[in-house]
Amino acid sequence: MTIESTFLFVTVKSIRNLNGHSIGPYQIHGGKSVPIVKGGEQTKMEEGEFYAIETFGSTGMFVFVASTD
């Protein structure tokens, strides 16, 4: 079975509460978020800024819940 044929049978959706982010000098997680679903933060990207565009998919609940362990 190929990856492509697997995707025909499995629903993969974006995890709504995980985002990409800006990257600053000596700071991998900067202050701006890049939502991966509609309706997220409306902050504008500025020229000269750097971003990590991260996509997170799941076949489960589509929301990340941090463990308390």
Side-chain angles (χ1 to χ4, degrees):
M1 184 174 270
T2 66
I3 293 172
E4 181 180 19
S5 64
T6 302
F7 280 9
L8 295 175
F9 298 103
V10 178
T11 301
V12 177
K13 293 186 179 180
S14 298
I15 299 177
R16 295 186 299 266
N17 61 337
L18 293 178
N19 299 313
H21 52 83
S22 60
I23 300 172
Y26 307 105
Q27 185 180 26
I28 193 68
H29 290 100
K32 293 184 179 180
S33 292
V34 180
I36 60 172
V37 294
K38 289 181 181 178
E41 186 176 323
Q42 297 297 311
T43 303
K44 303 288 185 199
M45 292 181 179
E46 302 292 333
E47 185 175 343
E49 293 178 328
F50 296 92
Y51 289 85
I53 306 300
E54 300 175 307
T55 57
F56 301 92
S58 174
T59 58
M61 294 178 54
F62 314 116
V63 174
F64 174 76
V65 179
S67 174
T68 58
D69 294 338

